[in-house]
Amino acid sequence: MTIPRQLLKQWALLAVVSTILCGLVYLALQQYIRASANDPQIQISEDMARVLGSGQPIQQVLPPGRVEITQTLY
């Protein structure tokens, strides 16, 4: 009767460890995806800072009129 009880303990330990590992992998991937969602905004702000730092007036840097955000990153 000790073999099934020992087997149950080992199985429970394996289940807990695998659940924790799966949770850690999920959290790591979620954080990676969330952090990479900021990349377009960072790129746009760095581009604008570089152009404005070169001395161009802001009226020449900004596009005229409205910009459809789904069509461009600028």
Side-chain angles (χ1 to χ4, degrees):
M1 187 112 173
T2 60
I3 292 176
R5 176 170 258 162
Q6 202 172 32
L7 184 62
L8 181 63
K9 284 182 181 180
Q10 289 177 353
W11 182 87
L13 179 63
L14 180 64
V16 168
V17 169
S18 64
T19 300
I20 290 172
L21 286 176
C22 288
L24 289 174
V25 169
Y26 168 77
L27 287 175
L29 287 174
Q30 190 270 342
Q31 288 299 314
Y32 172 75
I33 291 170
R34 175 61 192 102
S36 65
N38 292 332
D39 290 347
Q41 293 88 343
I42 293 170
Q43 184 66 46
I44 291 169
S45 62
E46 287 174 349
D47 291 346
M48 295 298 282
R50 185 174 52 255
V51 171
L52 290 173
S54 70
Q56 291 188 20
I58 196 164
Q59 290 80 14
Q60 290 181 346
V61 175
L62 294 177
R66 297 180 71 184
V67 175
E68 179 60 40
I69 196 146
T70 61
Q71 304 297 320
T72 183
L73 286 179
Y74 186 67

